[in-house]
Amino acid sequence: MSFLSDPRWRDAAAHLPDYLGSHVQVSLAALALGLVISLPLAILARNHAVSRGILLGLASVVQTVPGLALLALFYPLLLAIASLTLRWFGFDFSAFGFLPAMLALALYSMLPVLRNTITGLNGVDPALLEAAQGVGMTPRQSLFTVELPLALPVIMAGIRTSAVWVIGTATLSTPIGQTSLGNYIFAGLQTQNWVLVLFGCVASALLALAVDQFLTLIERGLRERKRLHTMLGSVGIAVLVTATLIPSMARAPSTYVVGAKTFAEQYVLSALIEQRLQAAGLQASTREGLGSSVIFLALAANNIDVYVDYSGTLWLNQFHRTDMPPRERLLAELKEILAKQDVTLLGALGFENAYALVMPRQRADALGIHSITDLAAHAPTLSIAGDYEFFSRPEWTALQKAYGLSFRRQRQMQPDFMYAAVASGDVDVIAGYTSEGRIKEYDLETLADPKHAIPPYDAVLLLAPRRAHDAALQEALKPLLERIDIATMREANLRASGSNANSSPAAVARWLWQRIGRQ
Amino acid sequence: MALAPLIAYAHVRKSFANGHDAERVTAVDDVSLDIAAGEFLAIVGASGSGKSTLLRLANRLLAPDSGRVMVEGEDVRDVDPVRLRRCMGYVFQSGGLFPHMRVADNIAVTPRLLGWPAAEIAARVDELLELVRLDRSLHRDRLPHELSGGQQQRVGVARALAARPRIMLMDEPFGALDPLTRDTLGDEYRALHRRLALTTVMVTHDMTAALLLADRIAVMRAGRVVAQGQPAELSNNNEPYVAELLRTPRRQAERLNALLAGASAG
């Protein structure tokens, strides 16, 4: 099969109107808000060295915060503000998706506009400022009829830089729930679907390039006073925005939103839930690639309707519990705690996706390591790798405390690369997931945890408060409960980690449904 | 009956902060100077003598530290500076035209600020283009950078005259032009000054131009007016600096005379 006839291109293209439209929407809103804030600030500060310094300094600091972190920070911030406005003024707003993405991106867009506006205004020939004053202009008239028009080419150059930055950074708004071209990239990275990653990168690069070219045209038109250039550029931007926005606006909003975290199993399970809901005649769509700290809050705030979480994760990370009851009791207690927040724990899917320390079977045999207790003696000479959150999670602290673990070196890795890394000996031990298909494929051994430092991680279905009494939804989901065992989930995950046409989350979900539906 | 002066400086002093030094530089030092209605006064001096500062004090681009500046009998401090400037024409060194505006828009700036009706402004622009001898169809819609230096300065004069001011302030108006253009423009302006019954204050470092154009000349040095009077009065002045300033035009005139006489004799 040739590279271009791969059916995954078609799958990717099918999402383009939605992803591109949302991407343009959030970028445009952010840029507009950024301009509305930066332009007046720059104008006010232009003749005042101290405030100019403070302003540019602050904007530079914002710029040094990585885009992903800035976006992630806005979610809890808005959530807190929303709960305050609810308490004080009786209303709240969605802190999920569009709003935090727009605010963070707007903040991100400010520096080039601020800098260029100040530079442009201060670069106007003082003789012309005196002329404006001399012919009888007020400072305001001078600003609007002389200074701003003359600084406009420089300001436009700043807007152009901002636009390109914002379009690029908007791909990172996927984890806080804003659909964007980043959905391709995040989904592709998690499921090792390089076609998707490439598609997302190329699409956002083309968008940025097109916008850059049109804005360059406008800027040249302003600089050289050629109306044709300015007009062509403006028409280009207008056509681009309209063409990308109209299809996404015409789209009917789906009634049920299924959330998914940022790894392959979650993509498969959310696709499965979406398919089951659609089979039951319900409107459904997925919101993928949500950060694991965002997704529960999004559910509790009714921004998404249903998703799969893991009991241990909720126990430790969401409710900060340190006691470790046995599996059944933990599940029952969790259900009670969740009910207090109006979140329904519908039931368990039947498998566990726990953290486990994993190493190649041969290596483990050679060193005589079969449990974490055995590992502790060798740890000072070994290296360990975990996903981006593992070493800051309470599980790691519990493991270190229970077994006195101390490794020679610890590394963070993209979860999908860990298994190949430990199989090839790049690292000695990884903190893997028990439902991972490649554990079997690479002949890896999950080390026993005799001291029960790691809690149980039953996969559980959670429903948003507004779906607590939704019988149709619950009926559609019931056939999934207690039906997926660990072997089935491992095989599904292994399929999803392949890189062919049958490894898309939707295809794997269909396979999974056939497997469990037949039982 | 002696007319009250149209512009009167009385013991005016103006100093500027000098960069990092705490010490201030005095630009205008206790100057008193009257300019009568209809008069064409040239203020002559080297650069840094304070002549441009003196001019800017008249329309309150600068405010005096002490002393008083009266225009049409009113202390400029009591008048709204924006209104004051709109009723005085100002011609800037090398034009000072707004590069993003067409010639017609540059000329129309002050009438627009004053809220004239559009039709009246359009008619006035055409009238002014004719007055400063620019071809209407050729220049009306040009941008300043498409014009020669002389044409730009003609537009500068037209813009200053647009709102029919009684007073014209000119800051080295013809300094950046080639000698022939400078001469033509100077003569043409002199004719306009008389025809429109203007009162003109022109700042220049060119004593020859001042002698040829102005009714009266004030000589400035280090912030002070060291001499003033009509050309003939100046030549009788004892101030050595005035003699020095007059030496160049005199010698040039003598040499030119000798050269031209020699040519005709030969």
Side-chain angles (χ1 to χ4, degrees):
Chain A
M1 186 163 32
S2 94
F3 181 67
L4 283 173
S5 64
D6 191 315
R8 283 175 298 169
W9 288 110
R10 221 177 39 236
D11 285 353
H15 286 295
L16 193 61
D18 179 20
Y19 291 2
L20 183 62
S22 306
H23 197 102
V24 169
Q25 209 177 348
V26 76
S27 305
L28 198 69
L31 206 59
L33 180 67
L35 278 178
V36 166
I37 300 171
S38 327
L39 280 178
L41 280 179
I43 289 168
L44 287 176
R46 73 188 191 282
N47 291 327
H48 196 270
V50 175
S51 48
R52 202 168 56 207
I54 292 173
L55 199 60
L56 289 178
L58 282 178
S60 304
V61 167
V62 169
Q63 218 64 64
T64 62
V65 177
L68 193 60
L70 189 67
L71 282 156
L73 280 175
F74 259 85
Y75 182 67
L77 184 71
L78 283 179
L79 214 60
I81 294 173
S83 76
L84 284 183
T85 59
L86 183 63
R87 191 179 314 159
W88 292 340
F89 308 111
F91 73 94
D92 64 347
F93 51 86
S94 172
F96 180 70
F98 187 78
L99 199 60
M102 180 188 70
L103 291 177
L105 291 173
L107 210 56
Y108 213 60
S109 77
M110 285 174 61
L111 182 62
V113 178
L114 283 175
R115 203 168 38 201
N116 281 39
T117 307
I118 291 173
T119 311
L121 288 174
N122 287 347
V124 174
D125 185 353
L128 290 176
L129 297 182
E130 196 184 42
Q133 215 183 345
V135 301
M137 290 189 190
T138 61
R140 202 185 154 80
Q141 287 163 336
S142 166
L143 177 67
F144 284 104
T145 56
V146 176
E147 298 168 56
L148 280 176
L150 288 175
L152 205 55
V154 184
I155 298 175
M156 270 310 293
I159 294 176
R160 188 161 59 90
T161 310
S162 277
V164 172
W165 281 7
V166 164
I167 289 171
T169 313
T171 53
L172 298 175
S173 60
T174 297
I176 54 169
Q178 168 61 32
T179 304
S180 72
L181 292 170
N183 281 37
Y184 287 124
I185 299 168
F186 279 89
L189 273 178
Q190 298 311 325
T191 59
Q192 301 207 17
N193 184 339
W194 306 121
V195 169
L196 274 190
V197 176
L198 199 64
F199 196 96
C201 291
V202 170
S204 69
L206 282 180
L207 178 65
L209 217 61
V211 168
D212 183 54
Q213 286 303 309
F214 287 134
L215 291 179
T216 305
L217 210 57
I218 297 179
E219 187 189 324
R220 250 189 66 197
L222 292 172
R223 204 181 286 279
E224 297 166 14
R225 305 188 216 295
K226 289 185 179 152
R227 275 165 201 232
L228 186 68
H229 282 104
T230 313
M231 235 165 59
L232 281 179
S234 313
V235 168
I237 291 282
V239 168
L240 187 75
V241 167
T242 325
T244 51
L245 284 189
I246 282 179
S248 70
M249 294 215 169
R251 189 173 39 97
S254 51
T255 22
Y256 293 91
V257 181
V258 185
K261 298 192 195 186
T262 55
F263 48 93
E265 180 174 291
Q266 286 275 323
Y267 283 79
V268 171
L269 291 173
S270 67
L272 179 63
I273 295 170
E274 183 190 20
Q275 287 167 11
R276 294 332 304 149
L277 295 185
Q278 284 167 350
L282 302 173
Q283 284 267 4
S285 67
T286 58
R287 195 73 78 90
E288 297 160 341
L290 302 178
S292 71
S293 54
V294 169
I295 194 163
F296 179 78
L297 301 176
L299 183 89
N302 284 318
N303 295 129
I304 57 173
D305 296 295
V306 51
Y307 82 100
V308 175
D309 212 330
Y310 307 93
S311 56
T313 303
L314 291 169
W315 190 257
L316 291 174
N317 283 16
Q318 202 58 52
F319 302 114
H320 308 291
R321 298 283 292 250
T322 47
D323 53 327
M324 211 65 77
R327 183 172 172 182
E328 294 302 324
R329 241 189 60 210
L330 185 146
L331 212 53
E333 209 169 315
L334 190 62
K335 191 166 178 157
E336 274 175 42
I337 305 173
L338 288 169
K340 276 188 207 139
Q341 302 198 8
D342 298 320
V343 170
T344 309
L345 192 160
L346 192 64
L349 294 177
F351 72 94
E352 250 191 275
N353 183 2
Y355 272 111
L357 298 191
V358 173
M359 59 194 297
R361 188 175 304 281
Q362 279 191 332
R363 185 92 194 282
D365 286 342
L367 294 172
I369 300 175
H370 298 287
S371 71
I372 304 178
T373 320
D374 304 335
L375 180 66
H378 293 275
T381 64
L382 301 177
S383 61
I384 184 170
D387 62 28
Y388 299 120
E389 55 184 270
F390 179 72
F391 295 111
S392 50
R393 282 178 70 119
E395 288 91 334
W396 175 236
T397 318
L399 274 174
Q400 283 180 305
K401 235 168 100 183
Y403 297 98
L405 283 176
S406 158
F407 286 89
R408 181 170 55 82
R409 191 163 166 238
Q410 63 190 50
R411 290 167 65 180
Q412 295 186 344
M413 262 188 204
Q414 165 74 22
D416 272 299
F417 301 149
M418 289 194 305
Y419 303 92
V422 76
S424 68
D426 280 347
V427 288
D428 301 305
V429 184
I430 56 169
Y433 315 124
T434 52
S435 65
E436 175 56 51
R438 277 165 293 192
I439 287 180
K440 206 172 138 196
E441 193 193 9
Y442 290 133
D443 193 23
L444 306 177
E445 181 166 345
T446 57
L447 303 180
D449 172 22
K451 296 184 183 170
H452 301 288
I454 299 176
Y457 284 86
D458 285 291
V460 291
L461 269 178
L462 301 185
L463 305 184
R466 66 172 175 197
R467 302 298 180 195
H469 306 290
D470 188 330
L473 174 70
Q474 301 191 5
E475 272 315 302
L477 293 175
K478 281 228 166 94
L480 299 178
L481 297 179
E482 303 296 346
R483 297 292 280 279
I484 308 173
D485 61 26
I486 183 77
T488 311
M489 197 63 228
R490 268 188 189 165
E491 200 176 336
N493 286 337
L494 189 59
R495 280 170 174 268
S497 71
S499 48
N500 59 54
N502 296 324
S503 62
S504 76
V508 176
R510 278 192 290 275
W511 172 88
L512 187 59
W513 175 245
Q514 280 189 346
R515 269 293 283 276
I516 62 178
R518 231 185 283 138
Q519 282 168 1
Chain B
M1 173 186 107
L3 276 168
L6 201 58
I7 304 173
Y9 295 90
H11 303 289
V12 172
R13 198 183 295 271
K14 177 70 186 174
S15 63
F16 296 104
N18 177 23
H20 315 289
D21 296 346
E23 200 178 318
R24 293 175 73 84
V25 178
T26 304
V28 170
D29 192 2
D30 193 27
V31 167
S32 297
L33 184 65
D34 289 350
I35 299 139
E39 194 176 19
F40 192 141
L41 175 85
I43 304 174
V44 181
S47 48
S49 61
K51 58 189 192 301
S52 291
T53 305
L54 194 63
L55 192 71
R56 285 171 171 80
L57 288 164
N59 69 346
R60 257 187 79 184
L61 284 175
L62 297 171
D65 298 341
S66 63
R68 277 203 311 183
V69 182
M70 310 283 285
V71 171
E72 304 196 33
E74 268 188 292
D75 191 327
V76 292
R77 265 175 305 195
D78 303 333
V79 186
D80 171 25
V82 170
R83 253 217 341 263
L84 180 72
R85 289 173 203 143
R86 285 176 188 177
C87 63
M88 293 169 101
Y90 202 114
V91 180
F92 299 86
Q93 200 167 1
S94 64
L97 300 182
F98 302 121
H100 59 298
M101 292 183 191
R102 295 172 311 148
V103 164
D105 296 323
N106 262 293
I107 296 176
V109 160
T110 308
R112 280 204 183 120
L113 292 173
L114 289 166
W116 289 17
E120 196 180 325
I121 293 177
R124 179 67 180 155
V125 168
D126 288 341
E127 187 186 344
L128 284 161
L129 282 171
E130 205 159 307
L131 203 61
V132 298
R133 304 163 72 107
L134 283 172
D135 188 301
R136 195 190 299 172
S137 58
L138 228 57
H139 299 110
R140 205 177 194 282
D141 294 328
R142 291 283 178 83
L143 288 168
H145 71 92
E146 295 168 319
L147 304 181
S148 73
Q151 288 170 335
Q152 288 187 19
Q153 203 48 280
R154 283 171 192 271
V155 177
V157 171
R159 181 175 69 181
L161 289 171
R164 299 196 181 88
R166 292 180 66 199
I167 299 170
M168 285 285 274
L169 305 176
M170 306 177 98
D171 191 356
E172 304 268 8
F174 312 124
L177 303 175
D178 67 86
L180 199 64
T181 316
R182 188 184 334 174
D183 224 34
T184 321
L185 235 59
D187 286 347
E188 284 183 26
Y189 180 74
R190 171 78 212 179
L192 280 177
H193 165 82
R194 200 167 299 158
R195 211 171 101 203
L196 303 174
L198 298 169
T199 303
T200 301
V201 183
M202 180 178 77
V203 157
T204 180
H205 59 259
D206 181 354
M207 183 53 112
T208 312
L211 289 167
L212 292 173
L213 294 177
D215 302 326
R216 200 158 60 96
I217 294 168
V219 176
M220 280 193 79
R221 189 184 198 191
R224 288 173 168 273
V225 173
V226 292
Q228 50 175 304
Q230 292 165 0
E233 292 170 347
L234 274 193
S235 69
N236 296 329
N237 195 291
N238 294 329
E239 172 76 30
Y241 183 63
V242 177
E244 194 185 320
L245 284 177
L246 286 173
R247 197 173 303 139
T248 314
R250 269 200 181 120
R251 207 169 41 214
Q252 279 178 347
E254 281 161 14
R255 283 184 64 193
L256 280 170
N257 270 335
L259 283 169
L260 295 171
S264 60

